[in-house]
Coordinates of all heavy atoms in Angstrom, one line a residue:
N123 N 82.5 -1.0 185.6 CA 81.7 0.1 185.8 C 80.4 -0.1 186.6 O 80.1 0.6 187.5 CB 81.2 0.5 184.4 CG 81.7 1.9 184.0 OD1 81.8 2.8 184.9 ND2 82.0 2.1 182.7
T134 N 79.6 8.5 188.0 CA 81.0 8.6 187.6 C 81.5 7.3 187.1 O 81.2 6.2 187.7 CB 81.9 9.1 188.7 OG1 81.3 10.3 189.2 CG2 83.3 9.4 188.3
G135 N 82.3 7.3 186.0 CA 82.7 6.0 185.4 C 84.0 5.5 186.1 O 84.6 6.2 186.9
I136 N 84.3 4.2 185.8 CA 85.3 3.5 186.5 C 86.7 4.1 186.3 O 87.6 4.1 187.2 CB 85.3 2.0 186.1 CG1 86.4 1.2 186.9 CG2 85.5 1.8 184.6 CD1 86.2 1.2 188.4
T137 N 86.9 4.7 185.1 CA 88.2 5.3 184.8 C 88.6 6.4 185.8 O 89.7 6.5 186.3 CB 88.3 5.8 183.4 OG1 87.9 4.7 182.5 CG2 89.7 6.3 183.0
R138 N 87.5 7.2 186.2 CA 87.8 8.2 187.2 C 87.7 7.7 188.6 O 88.3 8.3 189.5 CB 86.7 9.4 187.0 CG 87.1 10.2 185.7 CD 86.4 11.5 185.7 NE 86.4 12.3 186.9 CZ 85.4 13.1 187.3 NH1 84.4 13.3 186.5 NH2 85.5 13.8 188.4
L139 N 86.9 6.7 188.8 CA 86.7 6.2 190.2 C 87.9 5.5 190.7 O 88.3 5.5 191.9 CB 85.5 5.3 190.3 CG 84.1 5.9 190.2 CD1 83.0 4.8 190.1 CD2 83.8 6.9 191.3
R140 N 88.6 4.7 189.8 CA 89.7 3.8 190.3 C 90.9 4.7 190.7 O 91.0 5.9 190.3 CB 90.0 2.7 189.4 CG 90.6 3.0 188.0 CD 91.3 1.8 187.5 NE 92.5 1.6 188.2 CZ 93.7 2.3 188.1 NH1 93.8 3.3 187.2 NH2 94.7 1.9 188.8
G141 N 91.8 4.0 191.4 CA 93.0 4.8 191.8 C 92.9 5.3 193.3 O 93.8 5.9 193.8
Q142 N 91.8 5.0 193.9 CA 91.6 5.4 195.3 C 90.6 4.4 196.0 O 89.9 3.7 195.2 CB 91.2 6.8 195.5 CG 89.8 7.1 195.0 CD 89.4 8.6 195.3 OE1 89.7 9.4 194.4 NE2 88.9 8.9 196.4
Y144 N 87.4 3.9 198.9 CA 86.2 4.6 199.3 C 85.6 3.9 200.6 O 85.6 2.7 200.6 CB 85.1 4.6 198.3 CG 85.5 5.3 197.0 CD1 86.3 4.6 196.0 CD2 85.2 6.6 196.7 CE1 86.7 5.2 194.9 CE2 85.6 7.2 195.5 CZ 86.4 6.5 194.6 OH 86.8 7.1 193.5
P153 N 87.7 0.2 193.8 CA 87.2 -0.1 192.4 C 88.3 -0.4 191.5 O 89.4 0.2 191.5 CB 86.5 1.2 192.0 CG 86.9 2.2 193.1 CD 87.8 1.6 194.1
Y155 N 89.2 -2.1 187.3 CA 88.6 -2.4 186.0 C 87.9 -3.8 186.0 O 88.3 -4.7 186.8 CB 89.6 -2.4 184.9 CG 90.1 -1.0 184.5 CD1 91.4 -0.7 184.6 CD2 89.2 0.0 184.2 CE1 91.9 0.6 184.2 CE2 89.6 1.3 183.9 CZ 91.0 1.6 183.9 OH 91.4 2.8 183.6

Side-chain angles (χ1 to χ4, degrees):
N123 244 323
T134 305
I136 184 61
T137 306
R138 284 194 48 208
L139 289 174
R140 66 159 291 282
Q142 66 178 91
Y144 300 81
Y155 290 124

